[in-house]
Amino acid sequence: MYTVTRTALVVVVAMFLAATACGNDESASTTVAEIPTCPTDPIRVVVSVEQWSDITEQLAGACAEVTTVVGSSVDPHDYEPTPVDVAAFTDADVVVVNGCGYDSWAEQAVETSGGSPALVNGCDVVGRSDGDNPHLWYAPDAVSSVADAVTAALQQRSPAASAYLTERRSDWEASMQPYRDEIASISSAYTGRTYAATESVFDDMATALGLRNVTPEGFARAAANETDPSPADISAFNGLLGDGQADVLVFNAQTEGAIPEQLRATADGEGVPVVEVTETPAVGTTSFVDWQVAQLRSLAAALASRS
Ligand SMILES: [Zn+2]
């Protein structure tokens, strides 16, 4: 969407210059050269999970055909690939996986595909390993590092598009300004404020914002391992919502379960604002930046209501 809009703008500017700057061929041709069409044949890029799709598409622009294997309607944690999914990795020039055990099926599919794509493994890029929090797309530094690695992989497989891809990387950086602004504004206003969470999905962002996690440790561990928390942990969670220890409850709206729902009801009853976040891009959002900024704004509003 962003690339299309920008392309249209540049074309309009080029036409305007061509119409007004008669005799100034140099400036007209310079502008025309900026139209972002790929200078070479597009390559094949496969992304395992949708959280990295928009970023990869923005960074590749017209220089790649990007295929996403697992879309938003599926819970990536429990995903079992079909033979068609595995076949999608065949002949890929570049593969982007999350790693950290989140999509190990995709790493295996790359190995069995017999190809040798340039592989971007987000978890490796940021120096995490299996068992660490896999929700890298909620860590602003990780998002930036993975974007760098995606650009490097694209450039490695498409050297003729190198300058084009460098430009895409800087356009994408500019498009992320609202995200950085929101993060800066929340951390300057609310560092040290507290949250409890039904899942770890948002924890890296909360850390980047300077929020303090008061989720009972046993509860958080059980949620991360997809096991049931103990009655004592549930009781501790309800207790902290009741006595004002948590400024907000962060709730994964894409997870169904009696325990998260019950905690949400407690929060509602106690007047603790509930901030909904999602594992995968929310339905109706058109880009990573829109998705993240919408969530950050609802967090900011919730924290403001507790001031
Ligand atoms: Zn998750």
Side-chain angles (χ1 to χ4, degrees):
M1 179 74 86
Y2 173 72
T3 307
V4 169
T5 308
R6 186 181 179 282
T7 306
L9 252 178
V10 173
V11 170
V12 169
V13 170
M15 285 167 65
F16 176 78
L17 285 177
T20 57
C22 295
N24 190 352
D25 289 348
E26 203 181 344
S27 107
S29 65
T30 306
T31 310
V32 169
E34 283 171 13
I35 294 173
T37 51
C38 185
T40 182
D41 289 338
I43 57 174
R44 270 202 77 218
V45 177
V46 178
V47 180
S48 62
V49 291
E50 189 162 13
Q51 290 92 325
W52 297 108
S53 296
D54 174 64
I55 293 171
T56 303
E57 284 168 9
Q58 300 297 333
L59 293 172
C63 278
E65 284 160 22
V66 179
T67 304
T68 300
V69 178
V70 181
S72 272
S73 56
V74 180
D75 181 356
H77 283 287
D78 303 323
Y79 190 67
E80 301 276 352
T82 67
V84 173
D85 296 336
V86 174
F89 292 90
T90 311
D91 301 331
D93 297 301
V94 173
V95 171
V96 180
V97 303
N98 186 80
C100 293
Y102 192 73
D103 48 5
S104 10
W105 58 269
E107 294 176 62
Q108 282 155 24
V110 172
E111 270 173 39
T112 56
S113 74
S116 51
L119 178 64
V120 176
N121 179 317
C123 196
D124 291 347
V125 167
V126 302
R128 294 191 194 184
S129 45
D130 284 16
D132 292 338
N133 185 340
H135 305 99
L136 304 176
W137 60 95
Y138 272 107
D141 289 350
V143 168
S144 205
S145 302
V146 171
D148 285 339
V150 168
T151 296
L154 294 168
Q155 287 174 324
Q156 187 202 325
R157 288 311 164 103
S158 189
S162 196
Y164 173 93
L165 293 164
T166 299
E167 201 190 331
R168 296 282 72 69
R169 178 67 180 81
S170 83
D171 282 358
W172 176 79
E173 193 70 33
S175 79
M176 290 290 278
Q177 194 57 45
Y179 168 84
R180 285 190 297 271
D181 288 348
E182 205 58 45
I183 290 168
S185 134
I186 294 174
S187 48
S188 80
Y190 301 115
T191 289
R193 300 290 286 277
T194 57
Y195 76 101
T198 57
E199 275 189 32
S200 66
V201 64
F202 192 74
D203 283 355
D204 283 332
M205 178 59 83
T207 301
L209 297 170
L211 304 185
R212 195 158 59 79
N213 189 355
V214 297
T215 311
E217 214 174 289
F219 185 98
R221 204 168 35 242
N225 297 331
E226 296 191 73
T227 58
D228 286 333
S230 71
D233 287 326
I234 297 170
S235 159
F237 205 141
N238 280 301
L240 71 88
L241 291 171
D243 65 16
Q245 287 182 54
D247 288 316
V248 298
L249 174 68
V250 174
F251 180 87
N252 183 345
Q254 283 173 330
T255 306
E256 288 170 1
I259 296 166
E261 287 300 339
Q262 183 272 310
L263 291 167
R264 177 181 197 147
T266 300
D268 286 340
E270 299 289 349
V272 178
V274 176
V275 178
E276 289 193 353
V277 298
T278 54
E279 178 93 20
T280 62
V283 175
T285 52
T286 53
S287 65
F288 180 83
V289 62
D290 288 352
W291 171 38
Q292 294 289 312
V293 167
Q295 292 184 160
L296 288 166
R297 287 187 180 152
S298 57
L299 172 65
L303 288 166
S305 78
R306 299 285 273 174
S307 297

